[in-house]
Amino acid sequence: MVAYADFHRRSIEDRDAFWSEQAKLVEWETQPQQICDYSNPPFAKWFVGGKTNLCHNAVDRHLKDRADQAALIFVSTETNQEHTYSFRDLHAEVQRMAAILKDLGVTKGDRVLIYMPMIAEAAFAMLACARLGAIHSVVFGGFASHSLATRIEDASPKVIISADAGSRGGKGVPYKPLLDEAIKLSAHKPANVIMVDRKLAAFTPVAGRDVDYATERAKHMDTVVPCEWVESTHPSYTLYTSGTTGKPKGVQRDTGGYTVALASSIPHIYQGKPGGTFFCTSDIGWVVGHSYIIYGPLIGGMATIMYEGLPIRPDGGIWWSLVEKYKVNVMFSAPTAIRVLKKQDPALLTKYDLSSLQALFLAGEPLDEPTAKWISEGLNGKAIIDNYWQTETGWPILTICNGVEKAPSKFGSPGKAVYGYNVKLVDDQTGEELTGANQKGVLTIEGPLPPGNLQTIWGDDKRFVSTYWNTVPNKLVYSTFDWAVRDEDGYFFILGRTDDVINVAGHRLGTREIEESISSHPNIAEVAVVGVADQLKGQVAMAFAIAKDTSGLTDDAARKVLEAEVMKVVDSQLGAVARPSRVIFVTSLPKTRSGKLLRRAIQAVCEKRDPGDLTTIDDPTALQQIKDQIV
Ligand code: ATP
Ligand code: MG
């Protein structure tokens, strides 16, 4: 084994040699002529001159060694379906979907928008686009008409692929009316819509526009559609950031760099092996779903589980039963999902044979210590590995690369900089690099961004530069907009987003730090802190907390007692200046479907403003509770 520090150093200092080795994990039709062209910073071009195809690397290349091995395992506890597609089956299905798209005139560079639930056809759709060199844009099925319309307008797709309905908790959630409404709202109109009819919600097709997937598929059972070899820099897809903050941005990814990054991450980060099974519980609407439900595992020759359903239905053991049944080696989820499981019987964690499982990776939000401990103990000490990354990067920025060199995890830290990432902490006011231990700064990445990261914002190079590269004074560096510190061992700790900083009487405080302090009170399960405008102090912190044991909180007096205790904790840990003006007890917090706290919406409600677009909110009553208590 190589020492990780050397591996990382080489990826930065001997960049081209390092990545030309990683590029060997991918099959190229034409070998790259130049590894990295960074002559026009901050725009990086990876594997210039190379020609490849994402679908070829995910599917076709495996036919010679593992045609009959499982590739896509579709499990729906919503419709009680379960079906395993081998690489051979997947190859056939992808060609059928590609043939339908081709019939509708889709060629290289055309956009195809995918608005689908977690069904196998969604995977066929993504892979079929990649096969043709068409650029897919998957929009999360939980988005409603308005959000969908802005994405249709921005991506201007020739074709949209959708379905009659998704399903949640056993109830059909119609997609078609939302899609029709979105197309009406959008100035851009797609020429055609391919409808997968699951028979969950009746609909009337739009004549001349909508085509039925099953009918078209039947015409193409044996149609051969070869992979279109595209330049390494050809865009493979766009994906809009989840929009926790501000207007969504169309993150544009290349083909060659992305394929290499994922191919390399499977052994080095996830320790996945060809023939193994990967189970990522995310959704294809998110970046984690793109990279680790669809492309990453398949490129690595692994079977991937695509799961439609809740983590607690029929009961909280469903995921672990799948680990046993399909001998899952690598599992990937989010802290929010683990918090949901935490409310279930812990015995469900040990009911199944989990001996195949090597590690559980968690990403998307800070992994708090109690949650990490609970799941680690519940799974009998299996490795729990935090991953820190962004839609923009496509694969982890910070984690522990156990596939390079085994290293311990530290609670509360996602780990060290991943190879390829030249991570620097900088002072947000001066741009000066902070090299000392435990100095707090903005987490930035020095260009060129490694393979797999965004090339630009779709159709808006200027916005790419101004949004990400021009925010640190005196320096052209990529800003993650997250605060972090690094300890003496090189482990990073994420302290929250730079826009979650509040300013109390001239003191700048991270809401995340206040949240962590409050969470250390033994009776606090979860908390959100936001800054609220205040005439006197500029801003004050307000906390919304969920108590673990609510039995004593029956009246205002009891709540006041706990509130005072919480304030005392903050006083003693961070100082009185960080003390929230109020601690309000609620039973749930407003979050997106991907588990991110909607701090902006909470803040808006506290300041009696319009909370904005709430189509991704998981539980609207959570925001209502806050509204009701703000007087
Ligand atoms: P938008 O950029 O539109 O506001 P978003 O940032 O919520 O949306 P994502 O790209 O999905 O969309 O989220 C990335 C962010 O999530 C990171 O910048 C960080 O703030 C947070 N995050 C992700 N993983 C972790 C982690 N392991 N620990 C702490 N924070 C994390
Ligand atoms: Mg972001």
Side-chain angles (χ1 to χ4, degrees):
M1 263 192 172
V2 223
Y4 182 70
D6 293 335
F7 193 76
H8 181 268
R9 192 175 311 113
R10 222 181 134 237
S11 75
I12 305 298
E13 289 173 6
D14 206 359
R15 184 184 71 209
D16 287 5
F18 178 91
W19 284 109
S20 93
E21 271 164 34
Q22 301 303 317
K24 295 199 177 91
L25 297 167
V26 164
E27 285 189 0
W28 301 87
E29 190 257 352
T30 307
Q31 287 297 321
Q33 311 301 302
Q34 188 186 0
I35 299 303
C36 181
D37 173 1
Y38 199 52
S39 56
N40 180 28
F43 299 91
K45 291 185 187 159
W46 283 97
F47 309 110
V48 183
K51 279 192 168 184
T52 187
N53 182 289
L54 195 47
C55 181
H56 171 84
N57 278 286
V59 182
D60 300 47
R61 70 175 289 189
H62 300 301
L63 293 176
K64 59 179 182 305
D65 295 330
R66 50 189 83 257
D68 296 310
Q69 180 201 299
L72 182 71
I73 300 165
F74 167 62
V75 179
S76 174
T77 51
E78 295 290 333
T79 55
N80 294 318
Q81 283 170 296
E82 205 159 324
H83 188 81
T84 298
Y85 299 84
S86 65
F87 278 98
R88 193 194 307 282
D89 300 334
L90 185 58
H91 184 240
E93 291 295 353
V94 170
Q95 291 192 86
R96 289 167 195 148
M97 184 68 89
I100 301 171
L101 287 169
K102 238 176 123 177
D103 277 355
L104 298 176
V106 172
T107 56
K108 182 182 161 191
D110 285 338
R111 272 84 58 214
V112 174
L113 189 136
I114 298 172
Y115 179 61
M116 293 178 92
M118 284 286 287
I119 53 177
E121 288 79 3
F124 307 157
M126 291 167 74
L127 290 161
C129 289
R131 193 168 191 85
L132 297 172
I135 303 166
H136 63 64
S137 192
V138 181
V139 177
F140 175 57
F143 281 115
S145 305
H146 177 76
S147 314
L148 180 55
T150 57
R151 287 156 172 83
I152 294 174
E153 213 162 280
D154 196 71
S156 58
K158 190 178 253 181
V159 171
I160 294 180
I161 310 177
S162 191
D164 56 335
S167 182
R168 212 169 135 83
K171 276 196 222 102
V173 183
Y175 279 22
K176 182 69 157 91
L178 301 179
L179 176 63
D180 286 344
E181 176 64 19
I183 295 175
K184 212 176 278 167
L185 290 172
S186 163
H188 171 85
K189 315 284 180 200
N192 292 102
V193 173
I194 301 172
M195 287 297 301
V196 176
D197 190 359
R198 310 175 73 192
K199 311 264 188 278
L200 292 178
F203 65 92
T204 319
V206 175
R209 187 194 76 185
D210 296 357
V211 300
D212 177 56
Y213 170 68
T215 311
E216 298 305 309
R217 177 180 173 273
K219 297 179 192 164
H220 289 295
M221 292 311 284
D222 300 310
T223 307
V224 172
V225 182
C227 287
E228 175 87 24
W229 300 110
V230 298
E231 308 75 51
S232 175
T233 52
H234 178 72
S236 57
Y237 68 76
T238 64
L239 175 63
Y240 293 85
T241 58
S242 60
T244 313
T245 54
K247 181 180 163 227
K249 304 169 280 270
V251 165
Q252 177 185 318
R253 197 98 61 213
D254 75 349
T255 299
Y258 186 53
T259 314
V260 171
L262 294 182
S264 160
S265 73
I266 294 292
H268 295 126
I269 297 177
Y270 301 99
Q271 293 189 272
K273 291 188 187 70
T277 303
F278 203 115
F279 179 19
C280 171
T281 70
S282 182
D283 187 283
I284 49 154
W286 311 127
V287 67
V288 174
H290 282 65
S291 294
Y292 295 109
I293 296 175
I294 307 297
Y295 294 116
L298 293 175
I299 289 171
M302 301 180 77
T304 181
I305 298 182
M306 194 171 181
Y307 175 75
E308 181 188 47
L310 301 175
I312 51 168
R313 203 172 161 273
D315 63 44
I318 175 66
W319 284 356
W320 315 111
S321 77
L322 295 175
V323 170
E324 176 183 282
K325 180 165 181 188
Y326 293 106
K327 302 203 166 38
V328 171
N329 309 109
V330 187
M331 192 159 164
F332 194 142
S333 192
T336 185
I338 305 304
R339 281 188 219 109
V340 169
L341 294 179
K342 224 163 129 182
K343 295 178 188 141
Q344 310 292 311
D345 181 0
L348 290 167
L349 291 178
T350 43
K351 186 173 160 193
Y352 299 93
D353 175 8
L354 307 183
S355 54
S356 60
L357 189 66
Q358 300 158 7
L360 169 65
F361 293 84
L362 298 171
E365 34 161 342
L367 174 62
D368 57 286
E369 188 162 339
T371 303
K373 276 209 165 120
W374 180 83
I375 189 70
S376 165
E377 282 161 18
L379 294 179
N380 282 329
K382 294 266 183 212
I384 308 297
I385 301 175
D386 191 356
N387 263 198
Y388 162 84
W389 44 303
Q390 305 184 308
T391 306
E392 290 86 344
T393 67
W395 63 296
I397 305 168
L398 304 176
T399 194
I400 302 285
C401 296
N402 278 325
V404 181
E405 182 190 27
K406 287 234 178 322
S409 290
K410 289 192 187 187
F411 276 130
S413 165
K416 300 185 182 184
V418 169
Y419 58 91
Y421 289 91
N422 194 2
V423 173
K424 299 265 159 85
L425 289 179
V426 302
D427 183 301
D428 67 317
Q429 302 295 311
T430 63
E432 188 199 335
E433 190 185 339
L434 305 171
T435 49
N438 303 316
Q439 279 182 295
K440 174 178 160 182
V442 180
L443 192 95
T444 65
I445 307 166
E446 224 162 73
L449 293 175
N453 279 239
L454 83 167
Q455 293 179 292
T456 185
I457 291 177
W458 175 253
D460 203 344
D461 284 350
K462 269 205 192 118
R463 192 171 171 210
F464 171 64
V465 179
S466 65
T467 302
Y468 298 106
W469 297 86
N470 283 346
T471 64
V472 173
N474 314 314
K475 257 197 185 138
L476 188 72
V477 287
Y478 173 90
S479 175
T480 62
F481 302 107
D482 288 310
W483 293 109
V485 292
R486 178 176 37 209
D487 71 9
E488 39 291 302
D489 301 325
Y491 284 68
F492 287 85
F493 294 78
I494 303 293
L495 303 176
R497 298 171 184 245
T498 53
D499 53 8
D500 284 338
V501 164
I502 59 174
N503 199 325
V504 183
H507 298 273
R508 289 155 54 79
L509 304 163
T511 50
R512 171 97 202 118
E513 289 169 89
I514 306 176
E515 286 170 4
E516 253 171 39
S517 169
I518 294 177
S519 296
S520 70
H521 185 287
N523 196 20
I524 299 297
E526 225 184 320
V527 61
V529 170
V530 296
V532 179
D534 180 89
Q535 282 196 335
L536 213 61
K537 297 181 177 166
Q539 273 185 316
V540 291
M542 266 178 101
F544 297 88
I546 302 175
K548 274 186 194 152
D549 177 7
T550 51
S551 56
L553 295 180
T554 44
D555 56 24
D556 274 349
R559 280 190 284 270
K560 278 274 170 241
V561 172
L562 184 56
E563 179 174 19
E565 278 180 27
V566 165
M567 288 182 174
K568 229 167 118 185
V569 170
V570 178
D571 279 5
S572 67
Q573 292 180 357
L574 302 175
V577 64
R579 181 200 304 155
S581 67
R582 287 185 68 189
V583 182
I584 294 172
F585 296 98
V586 290
T587 55
S588 70
L589 289 167
K591 288 184 182 170
T592 62
R593 290 271 187 86
S594 58
K596 289 177 195 296
L597 270 175
L598 285 161
R599 289 199 186 75
R600 287 224 157 175
I602 302 176
Q603 185 187 40
V605 163
C606 293
E607 295 181 345
K608 306 208 162 47
R609 290 182 286 110
D610 174 14
D613 185 2
L614 291 175
T615 47
T616 56
I617 194 165
D618 195 34
D619 172 14
T621 67
L623 203 60
Q624 193 56 46
Q625 269 192 53
I626 291 176
K627 238 182 216 166
D628 293 344
Q629 297 209 52
I630 298 291
V631 275

